[in-house]
Amino acid sequence: MPDDQPQVERRHFLKTLAAGLGGTLAGPVSGSDSAAEAVELSPQHLEAVRRRRRIVVQYDPYELYGLDFDTWLDYRFRYIDEPGTQIDSVWWDLGRLGQVLYPSEFLDRLQNADLQKWRAQGIDFAGRLVAETRKRGLEVFWHHRVSEVDINTEGTGAAWKDGPAPLKRAHPDWTLKTDWWRHGLWDFSVPAVREHTVRALREVAEMYDLDGIQIDFARHIPCLPPGRQWGLRRHVTELVQMVRRMLLDVARKRGRPYLLAAKVCRTLEGCRIDGLDVETWARQNLVDIFTLGSRSVEVDVAAFRRITAGRNIKLQPCFDDHHTTDGYRYAPIEVLRGVFANWWQQGADSVVTFNWSNAPPEACRAVGARPGPLTHRQAYQEIGSPKTMKFQDKTFVVERRGGYPWAEGFFNRNDTAPLPLPLAPDGTPATFLVRISDDLATHAARVKSVLLRTVLFHAADDQRVEVSLNGLPLPPLERDAQWKDPQIFSPQPQPASGGTGDYRVNPRQRLLRLDFAVAPGQCKLGENIATIRLAGLAPGPADAQVALEKLEVHVRYA
């Protein structure tokens, strides 16, 4: 149904679809995003939204289907089951249109030999994951990727060399063609795509004993025709309206609330670029939880708090440690503490981990999985509360951009991040915002040291640099002209994020690391302003421009 169809046809289609889903849309459907009235929610629903969520774990439990099922299940829950974990909620990342992993009545199931063995044994592994999560007393959500890439028949990853999923082959006009995914992504300006999505979500909502469903707009953008996303935003809003009404209908029938979350861009501006009218969603009470970002350190919690004021909507930033912000894949625990502590300080209601390890390295190796870092294990014991990170060493970093080619829009790309940045050869200062979650001035007696670290590329060994924090000059502390960082690739472009995470040091790499001493009293709680300038030109190639690759504040406690 084309976008320029008469409004009367659109009203008839949406009224018919809503009736088929057992509900009605709120208010009239028109070209105005604010035409619908706010959805009324029961006290029981509001109470369910307020349920404790310290750490929400988004897991995509793909691969390893050749294992004995009980072994596979134990592996998936290993970190969740560890004593002291702060995990309160598990969101199983299993939903998509196309070849699905659960026993759908209308969508094609992934044809995989190992999965067929489980199916022959009567095992619905998606259902078992939900049941086992609930048996542990944890909240459980279904996570649906609105436009995930097609999966290969082995179930091990994207079908780069295979053909598109059967549903796309049957309906190529339902897809958006992109430069990076030749099979196309789902186009939510097409009514049939919205209808299929709601039908799929209703199926799992009625099939499994879930607390809620999350719609994930991170996988993948665009979900509307590029260049027209904001103009066509009402189509995505209609999708969210229909999912909300459907879940309220299922909730009425089962006698228990059904929550709805949406994973959206980390800033309001980014949401507008991608056609996600989150202001209208908040105003109409269409969602209960906004998951903010996916791989970004900087998340505008304050802006989302403004648009949700007066609503019972929770905010939870997300950290993906596979497609991590550039330069910080599998970062030390101090960096993870800095990221999550900053989010709590900004007013997050909970935090989300994505693409983290399921189990310790020895358990991973036992089942043939690639081990993740032990920092994940430690973080699950700490990052769910500011109290467990208080007076713990932290490193606060400035975001790096790039490394995510699997999107055409804003989401996940970090294109607005400030680093790396060429520094002006004439000494013009560059200014950066650095967030510090800890009140270092008040608790100076507990602080062992604070230093500001810069890492420069193309700088001569004796390059003079001046740095200040909040307007106060910082004295130089240490210089290392042979510094190495395996996650900085200059002068080559930063490669795509992800992969094995096995970064090797280039022995010919030469970076300049400069550390500067910071007095705890110079640091502000929250936003700090760091300034850096080249104080003099050092000998070097005429065309060489010094670039700032990293800027960090390291806090160590006594």
Side-chain angles (χ1 to χ4, degrees), residues 266 292-301 317-320 323-326 328 331 335-336 338-340 342-343 346 395-400 414 417 433 435:
R266 61 189 176 89
L292 309 179
S294 190
R295 64 184 288 257
S296 304
V297 169
E298 285 296 325
V299 173
D300 197 350
V301 178
C318 175
F319 191 85
D320 176 349
H323 303 295
T324 322
T325 192
D326 282 356
Y328 292 98
V335 171
L336 294 180
V339 171
F340 287 95
N342 269 340
W343 289 344
Q346 292 174 71
T395 299
F396 303 100
V397 306
V398 174
E399 188 107 76
R400 287 170 56 87
N414 285 354
L433 185 150
R435 296 187 186 275

mmCIF file of all heavy atoms in Angstrom, residues 266 292-301 317-320 323-326 328 331 335-336 338-340 342-343 346 395-400 414 417 433 435:
data_model
loop_
_atom_site.group_PDB
_atom_site.id
_atom_site.type_symbol
_atom_site.label_atom_id
_atom_site.label_comp_id
_atom_site.label_asym_id
_atom_site.label_seq_id
_atom_site.Cartn_x
_atom_site.Cartn_y
_atom_site.Cartn_z
ATOM 1 N N ARG A 266 20.557 6.577 20.834
ATOM 2 C CA ARG A 266 21.050 7.117 22.100
ATOM 3 C C ARG A 266 20.745 8.587 22.299
ATOM 4 O O ARG A 266 20.929 9.109 23.407
ATOM 5 C CB ARG A 266 22.557 6.893 22.195
ATOM 6 C CG ARG A 266 23.356 7.579 21.102
ATOM 7 C CD ARG A 266 24.815 7.140 21.124
ATOM 8 N NE ARG A 266 25.582 7.698 20.034
ATOM 9 C CZ ARG A 266 26.213 8.863 20.082
ATOM 10 N NH1 ARG A 266 26.150 9.597 21.173
ATOM 11 N NH2 ARG A 266 26.902 9.293 19.056
ATOM 12 N N LEU A 292 18.348 2.574 25.586
ATOM 13 C CA LEU A 292 18.998 3.684 24.888
ATOM 14 C C LEU A 292 20.333 3.241 24.308
ATOM 15 O O LEU A 292 21.245 2.864 25.038
ATOM 16 C CB LEU A 292 19.198 4.853 25.854
ATOM 17 C CG LEU A 292 17.943 5.294 26.641
ATOM 18 C CD1 LEU A 292 18.292 6.441 27.570
ATOM 19 C CD2 LEU A 292 16.817 5.678 25.696
ATOM 20 N N GLY A 293 20.435 3.318 22.982
ATOM 21 C CA GLY A 293 21.678 2.972 22.319
ATOM 22 C C GLY A 293 21.958 1.488 22.377
ATOM 23 O O GLY A 293 21.132 0.674 22.808
ATOM 24 N N SER A 294 23.180 1.139 21.933
ATOM 25 C CA SER A 294 23.576 -0.263 21.959
ATOM 26 C C SER A 294 25.068 -0.404 22.198
ATOM 27 O O SER A 294 25.485 -1.177 23.038
ATOM 28 C CB SER A 294 23.195 -0.960 20.643
ATOM 29 O OG SER A 294 23.365 -2.344 20.731
ATOM 30 N N ARG A 295 25.884 0.370 21.473
ATOM 31 C CA ARG A 295 27.338 0.232 21.587
ATOM 32 C C ARG A 295 28.013 1.528 22.008
ATOM 33 O O ARG A 295 29.234 1.631 21.950
ATOM 34 C CB ARG A 295 27.924 -0.233 20.248
ATOM 35 C CG ARG A 295 27.731 0.766 19.109
ATOM 36 C CD ARG A 295 28.229 0.224 17.781
ATOM 37 N NE ARG A 295 29.666 0.153 17.692
ATOM 38 C CZ ARG A 295 30.427 1.013 17.020
ATOM 39 N NH1 ARG A 295 29.878 2.046 16.406
ATOM 40 N NH2 ARG A 295 31.731 0.849 16.962
ATOM 41 N N SER A 296 27.238 2.486 22.450
ATOM 42 C CA SER A 296 27.768 3.826 22.678
ATOM 43 C C SER A 296 27.999 4.106 24.158
ATOM 44 O O SER A 296 27.199 3.719 25.010
ATOM 45 C CB SER A 296 26.810 4.885 22.115
ATOM 46 O OG SER A 296 26.565 4.655 20.731
ATOM 47 N N VAL A 297 29.095 4.792 24.448
ATOM 48 C CA VAL A 297 29.398 5.236 25.802
ATOM 49 C C VAL A 297 28.529 6.435 26.177
ATOM 50 O O VAL A 297 28.018 6.527 27.297
ATOM 51 C CB VAL A 297 30.892 5.596 25.912
ATOM 52 C CG1 VAL A 297 31.193 6.304 27.224
ATOM 53 C CG2 VAL A 297 31.759 4.346 25.757
ATOM 54 N N GLU A 298 28.342 7.350 25.235
ATOM 55 C CA GLU A 298 27.564 8.560 25.493
ATOM 56 C C GLU A 298 26.103 8.331 25.139
ATOM 57 O O GLU A 298 25.760 8.035 23.986
ATOM 58 C CB GLU A 298 28.117 9.745 24.699
ATOM 59 C CG GLU A 298 29.402 10.312 25.271
ATOM 60 C CD GLU A 298 29.220 10.907 26.658
ATOM 61 O OE1 GLU A 298 28.146 11.477 26.922
ATOM 62 O OE2 GLU A 298 30.147 10.802 27.479
ATOM 63 N N VAL A 299 25.237 8.462 26.121
ATOM 64 C CA VAL A 299 23.794 8.292 25.961
ATOM 65 C C VAL A 299 23.107 9.474 26.632
ATOM 66 O O VAL A 299 23.425 9.798 27.781
ATOM 67 C CB VAL A 299 23.326 6.964 26.595
ATOM 68 C CG1 VAL A 299 21.811 6.866 26.589
ATOM 69 C CG2 VAL A 299 23.944 5.772 25.869
ATOM 70 N N ASP A 300 22.180 10.117 25.934
ATOM 71 C CA ASP A 300 21.556 11.332 26.448
ATOM 72 C C ASP A 300 20.377 10.986 27.345
ATOM 73 O O ASP A 300 19.199 11.163 26.974
ATOM 74 C CB ASP A 300 21.128 12.233 25.290
ATOM 75 C CG ASP A 300 20.851 13.668 25.744
ATOM 76 O OD1 ASP A 300 20.807 13.898 26.967
ATOM 77 O OD2 ASP A 300 20.678 14.535 24.877
ATOM 78 N N VAL A 301 20.684 10.499 28.543
ATOM 79 C CA VAL A 301 19.638 10.120 29.495
ATOM 80 C C VAL A 301 18.766 11.323 29.837
ATOM 81 O O VAL A 301 17.537 11.209 29.938
ATOM 82 C CB VAL A 301 20.257 9.504 30.757
ATOM 83 C CG1 VAL A 301 19.176 9.147 31.773
ATOM 84 C CG2 VAL A 301 21.086 8.265 30.412
ATOM 85 N N PRO A 317 20.307 2.482 29.510
ATOM 86 C CA PRO A 317 21.337 2.442 28.463
ATOM 87 C C PRO A 317 21.892 1.025 28.292
ATOM 88 O O PRO A 317 21.861 0.206 29.214
ATOM 89 C CB PRO A 317 22.407 3.399 28.994
ATOM 90 C CG PRO A 317 21.733 4.206 30.052
ATOM 91 C CD PRO A 317 20.698 3.315 30.644
ATOM 92 N N CYS A 318 22.433 0.776 27.096
ATOM 93 C CA CYS A 318 22.914 -0.564 26.733
ATOM 94 C C CYS A 318 24.371 -0.504 26.299
ATOM 95 O O CYS A 318 24.792 0.433 25.606
ATOM 96 C CB CYS A 318 22.061 -1.128 25.600
ATOM 97 S SG CYS A 318 22.622 -2.725 24.947
ATOM 98 N N PHE A 319 25.149 -1.526 26.701
ATOM 99 C CA PHE A 319 26.551 -1.620 26.291
ATOM 100 C C PHE A 319 26.796 -2.957 25.599
ATOM 101 O O PHE A 319 26.711 -4.016 26.214
ATOM 102 C CB PHE A 319 27.472 -1.486 27.500
ATOM 103 C CG PHE A 319 28.934 -1.319 27.131
ATOM 104 C CD1 PHE A 319 29.443 -0.075 26.826
ATOM 105 C CD2 PHE A 319 29.781 -2.404 27.074
ATOM 106 C CE1 PHE A 319 30.781 0.095 26.479
ATOM 107 C CE2 PHE A 319 31.122 -2.256 26.736
ATOM 108 C CZ PHE A 319 31.625 -1.004 26.435
ATOM 109 N N ASP A 320 27.089 -2.886 24.308
ATOM 110 C CA ASP A 320 27.414 -4.044 23.474
ATOM 111 C C ASP A 320 28.932 -4.222 23.499
ATOM 112 O O ASP A 320 29.659 -3.357 23.010
ATOM 113 C CB ASP A 320 26.892 -3.775 22.063
ATOM 114 C CG ASP A 320 27.248 -4.856 21.050
ATOM 115 O OD1 ASP A 320 28.079 -5.734 21.347
ATOM 116 O OD2 ASP A 320 26.682 -4.817 19.936
ATOM 117 N N HIS A 323 30.314 -5.310 19.357
ATOM 118 C CA HIS A 323 30.442 -4.129 18.486
ATOM 119 C C HIS A 323 30.685 -2.896 19.357
ATOM 120 O O HIS A 323 29.991 -1.885 19.238
ATOM 121 C CB HIS A 323 29.178 -3.948 17.651
ATOM 122 C CG HIS A 323 28.830 -5.132 16.812
ATOM 123 N ND1 HIS A 323 29.627 -5.568 15.790
ATOM 124 C CD2 HIS A 323 27.784 -5.986 16.852
ATOM 125 C CE1 HIS A 323 29.084 -6.638 15.228
ATOM 126 N NE2 HIS A 323 27.976 -6.908 15.856
ATOM 127 N N THR A 324 31.673 -2.981 20.227
ATOM 128 C CA THR A 324 31.907 -1.924 21.208
ATOM 129 C C THR A 324 32.329 -0.622 20.532
ATOM 130 O O THR A 324 32.828 -0.623 19.410
ATOM 131 C CB THR A 324 33.034 -2.347 22.169
ATOM 132 O OG1 THR A 324 32.900 -3.728 22.444
ATOM 133 C CG2 THR A 324 32.969 -1.569 23.457
ATOM 134 N N THR A 325 32.140 0.472 21.248
ATOM 135 C CA THR A 325 32.680 1.738 20.769
ATOM 136 C C THR A 325 34.164 1.555 20.454
ATOM 137 O O THR A 325 34.890 0.850 21.169
ATOM 138 C CB THR A 325 32.466 2.837 21.827
ATOM 139 O OG1 THR A 325 32.731 4.105 21.243
ATOM 140 C CG2 THR A 325 33.308 2.635 23.049
ATOM 141 N N ASP A 326 34.621 2.134 19.358
ATOM 142 C CA ASP A 326 35.965 1.851 18.830
ATOM 143 C C ASP A 326 37.063 2.111 19.860
ATOM 144 O O ASP A 326 37.037 3.110 20.582
ATOM 145 C CB ASP A 326 36.233 2.703 17.585
ATOM 146 C CG ASP A 326 35.545 2.127 16.362
ATOM 147 O OD1 ASP A 326 34.946 1.042 16.480
ATOM 148 O OD2 ASP A 326 35.605 2.762 15.306
ATOM 149 N N TYR A 328 37.786 0.185 22.450
ATOM 150 C CA TYR A 328 37.532 -0.279 23.811
ATOM 151 C C TYR A 328 36.845 -1.646 23.845
ATOM 152 O O TYR A 328 36.112 -1.957 24.771
ATOM 153 C CB TYR A 328 36.701 0.756 24.578
ATOM 154 C CG TYR A 328 37.484 2.018 24.835
ATOM 155 C CD1 TYR A 328 37.340 3.131 24.009
ATOM 156 C CD2 TYR A 328 38.414 2.089 25.873
ATOM 157 C CE1 TYR A 328 38.070 4.286 24.219
ATOM 158 C CE2 TYR A 328 39.152 3.242 26.094
ATOM 159 C CZ TYR A 328 38.978 4.337 25.267
ATOM 160 O OH TYR A 328 39.717 5.477 25.482
ATOM 161 N N ALA A 331 37.293 -4.099 27.211
ATOM 162 C CA ALA A 331 38.058 -3.114 27.988
ATOM 163 C C ALA A 331 38.280 -3.608 29.411
ATOM 164 O O ALA A 331 37.564 -4.482 29.909
ATOM 165 C CB ALA A 331 37.306 -1.788 28.003
ATOM 166 N N VAL A 335 37.312 0.592 32.932
ATOM 167 C CA VAL A 335 36.555 1.283 31.883
ATOM 168 C C VAL A 335 35.076 0.925 31.979
ATOM 169 O O VAL A 335 34.196 1.801 31.870
ATOM 170 C CB VAL A 335 37.118 0.939 30.496
ATOM 171 C CG1 VAL A 335 36.210 1.481 29.389
ATOM 172 C CG2 VAL A 335 38.528 1.500 30.335
ATOM 173 N N LEU A 336 34.770 -0.352 32.172
ATOM 174 C CA LEU A 336 33.366 -0.749 32.304
ATOM 175 C C LEU A 336 32.714 -0.060 33.498
ATOM 176 O O LEU A 336 31.582 0.428 33.404
ATOM 177 C CB LEU A 336 33.262 -2.265 32.445
ATOM 178 C CG LEU A 336 33.691 -3.096 31.232
ATOM 179 C CD1 LEU A 336 33.524 -4.577 31.512
ATOM 180 C CD2 LEU A 336 32.895 -2.694 29.993
ATOM 181 N N GLY A 338 33.528 2.801 34.705
ATOM 182 C CA GLY A 338 33.338 4.194 34.347
ATOM 183 C C GLY A 338 32.110 4.412 33.484
ATOM 184 O O GLY A 338 31.342 5.360 33.693
ATOM 185 N N VAL A 339 31.890 3.522 32.511
ATOM 186 C CA VAL A 339 30.735 3.645 31.615
ATOM 187 C C VAL A 339 29.435 3.505 32.402
ATOM 188 O O VAL A 339 28.530 4.354 32.323
ATOM 189 C CB VAL A 339 30.807 2.590 30.495
ATOM 190 C CG1 VAL A 339 29.497 2.564 29.701
ATOM 191 C CG2 VAL A 339 31.981 2.883 29.566
ATOM 192 N N PHE A 340 29.317 2.430 33.159
ATOM 193 C CA PHE A 340 28.047 2.154 33.848
ATOM 194 C C PHE A 340 27.818 3.118 35.016
ATOM 195 O O PHE A 340 26.677 3.538 35.262
ATOM 196 C CB PHE A 340 28.010 0.702 34.314
ATOM 197 C CG PHE A 340 27.819 -0.274 33.182
ATOM 198 C CD1 PHE A 340 28.903 -0.892 32.578
ATOM 199 C CD2 PHE A 340 26.553 -0.565 32.698
ATOM 200 C CE1 PHE A 340 28.735 -1.782 31.524
ATOM 201 C CE2 PHE A 340 26.355 -1.448 31.647
ATOM 202 C CZ PHE A 340 27.460 -2.057 31.053
ATOM 203 N N ASN A 342 28.748 6.192 35.135
ATOM 204 C CA ASN A 342 28.282 7.445 34.523
ATOM 205 C C ASN A 342 26.793 7.383 34.203
ATOM 206 O O ASN A 342 26.065 8.368 34.373
ATOM 207 C CB ASN A 342 29.079 7.744 33.257
ATOM 208 C CG ASN A 342 30.300 8.595 33.516
ATOM 209 O OD1 ASN A 342 30.397 9.269 34.532
ATOM 210 N ND2 ASN A 342 31.249 8.575 32.593
ATOM 211 N N TRP A 343 26.330 6.245 33.714
ATOM 212 C CA TRP A 343 24.903 6.120 33.389
ATOM 213 C C TRP A 343 24.037 6.197 34.647
ATOM 214 O O TRP A 343 23.000 6.858 34.646
ATOM 215 C CB TRP A 343 24.653 4.820 32.636
ATOM 216 C CG TRP A 343 25.210 4.840 31.244
ATOM 217 C CD1 TRP A 343 25.614 5.921 30.523
ATOM 218 C CD2 TRP A 343 25.421 3.703 30.398
ATOM 219 N NE1 TRP A 343 26.059 5.540 29.275
ATOM 220 C CE2 TRP A 343 25.950 4.180 29.171
ATOM 221 C CE3 TRP A 343 25.217 2.338 30.549
ATOM 222 C CZ2 TRP A 343 26.264 3.329 28.113
ATOM 223 C CZ3 TRP A 343 25.529 1.484 29.490
ATOM 224 C CH2 TRP A 343 26.051 1.981 28.287
ATOM 225 N N GLN A 346 23.749 9.723 35.792
ATOM 226 C CA GLN A 346 22.855 10.523 34.954
ATOM 227 C C GLN A 346 21.382 10.190 35.176
ATOM 228 O O GLN A 346 20.515 10.854 34.604
ATOM 229 C CB GLN A 346 23.212 10.333 33.483
ATOM 230 C CG GLN A 346 24.556 10.925 33.101
ATOM 231 C CD GLN A 346 24.934 10.577 31.669
ATOM 232 O OE1 GLN A 346 24.344 11.086 30.715
ATOM 233 N NE2 GLN A 346 25.907 9.697 31.500
ATOM 234 N N THR A 395 37.918 4.277 34.999
ATOM 235 C CA THR A 395 38.491 5.048 33.895
ATOM 236 C C THR A 395 37.337 5.610 33.075
ATOM 237 O O THR A 395 36.451 4.856 32.638
ATOM 238 C CB THR A 395 39.386 4.180 33.000
ATOM 239 O OG1 THR A 395 40.470 3.666 33.783
ATOM 240 C CG2 THR A 395 39.943 4.986 31.837
ATOM 241 N N PHE A 396 37.329 6.919 32.885
ATOM 242 C CA PHE A 396 36.270 7.608 32.154
ATOM 243 C C PHE A 396 36.825 8.010 30.785
ATOM 244 O O PHE A 396 37.858 8.686 30.707
ATOM 245 C CB PHE A 396 35.797 8.828 32.938
ATOM 246 C CG PHE A 396 35.320 8.480 34.318
ATOM 247 C CD1 PHE A 396 36.146 8.670 35.426
ATOM 248 C CD2 PHE A 396 34.057 7.948 34.520
ATOM 249 C CE1 PHE A 396 35.709 8.346 36.701
ATOM 250 C CE2 PHE A 396 33.612 7.610 35.794
ATOM 251 C CZ PHE A 396 34.438 7.804 36.882
ATOM 252 N N VAL A 397 36.139 7.587 29.714
ATOM 253 C CA VAL A 397 36.692 7.746 28.376
ATOM 254 C C VAL A 397 35.814 8.658 27.533
ATOM 255 O O VAL A 397 34.615 8.814 27.774
ATOM 256 C CB VAL A 397 36.844 6.372 27.677
ATOM 257 C CG1 VAL A 397 37.663 5.428 28.545
ATOM 258 C CG2 VAL A 397 35.490 5.759 27.348
ATOM 259 N N VAL A 398 36.449 9.263 26.523
ATOM 260 C CA VAL A 398 35.743 10.038 25.504
ATOM 261 C C VAL A 398 35.486 9.114 24.318
ATOM 262 O O VAL A 398 36.366 8.358 23.890
ATOM 263 C CB VAL A 398 36.556 11.272 25.082
ATOM 264 C CG1 VAL A 398 35.885 12.002 23.925
ATOM 265 C CG2 VAL A 398 36.727 12.214 26.283
ATOM 266 N N GLU A 399 34.274 9.177 23.778
ATOM 267 C CA GLU A 399 33.831 8.250 22.729
ATOM 268 C C GLU A 399 34.628 8.387 21.440
ATOM 269 O O GLU A 399 35.035 9.484 21.050
ATOM 270 C CB GLU A 399 32.358 8.529 22.418
ATOM 271 C CG GLU A 399 31.711 7.527 21.493
ATOM 272 C CD GLU A 399 30.748 6.626 22.231
ATOM 273 O OE1 GLU A 399 29.648 7.085 22.548
ATOM 274 O OE2 GLU A 399 31.102 5.460 22.493
ATOM 275 N N ARG A 400 34.836 7.228 20.781
ATOM 276 C CA ARG A 400 35.427 7.190 19.438
ATOM 277 C C ARG A 400 34.364 6.765 18.432
ATOM 278 O O ARG A 400 33.479 5.977 18.742
ATOM 279 C CB ARG A 400 36.594 6.201 19.409
ATOM 280 C CG ARG A 400 37.836 6.701 20.141
ATOM 281 C CD ARG A 400 38.854 5.592 20.289
ATOM 282 N NE ARG A 400 39.218 4.999 19.008
ATOM 283 C CZ ARG A 400 40.178 5.451 18.200
ATOM 284 N NH1 ARG A 400 40.870 6.530 18.551
ATOM 285 N NH2 ARG A 400 40.457 4.851 17.073
ATOM 286 N N ASN A 414 27.887 5.853 15.809
ATOM 287 C CA ASN A 414 28.754 6.748 16.584
ATOM 288 C C ASN A 414 29.413 7.826 15.717
ATOM 289 O O ASN A 414 30.520 8.294 16.016
ATOM 290 C CB ASN A 414 29.859 5.965 17.321
ATOM 291 C CG ASN A 414 29.335 5.215 18.524
ATOM 292 O OD1 ASN A 414 28.184 5.356 18.890
ATOM 293 N ND2 ASN A 414 30.177 4.411 19.137
ATOM 294 N N ALA A 417 30.645 11.054 17.454
ATOM 295 C CA ALA A 417 31.641 11.001 18.518
ATOM 296 C C ALA A 417 32.818 11.916 18.184
ATOM 297 O O ALA A 417 33.177 12.082 17.012
ATOM 298 C CB ALA A 417 32.118 9.571 18.726
ATOM 299 N N LEU A 433 34.048 17.113 26.301
ATOM 300 C CA LEU A 433 33.283 16.852 27.514
ATOM 301 C C LEU A 433 33.683 15.484 28.054
ATOM 302 O O LEU A 433 33.671 14.491 27.325
ATOM 303 C CB LEU A 433 31.786 16.893 27.222
ATOM 304 C CG LEU A 433 30.836 16.757 28.417
ATOM 305 C CD1 LEU A 433 29.543 17.515 28.139
ATOM 306 C CD2 LEU A 433 30.502 15.295 28.719
ATOM 307 N N ARG A 435 32.724 12.936 31.238
ATOM 308 C CA ARG A 435 31.820 12.686 32.362
ATOM 309 C C ARG A 435 32.558 11.919 33.456
ATOM 310 O O ARG A 435 33.243 10.934 33.176
ATOM 311 C CB ARG A 435 30.591 11.904 31.915
ATOM 312 C CG ARG A 435 29.715 12.641 30.919
ATOM 313 C CD ARG A 435 28.436 11.881 30.637
ATOM 314 N NE ARG A 435 27.660 12.509 29.589
ATOM 315 C CZ ARG A 435 26.796 13.497 29.776
ATOM 316 N NH1 ARG A 435 26.593 13.961 31.024
ATOM 317 N NH2 ARG A 435 26.124 14.022 28.779
#
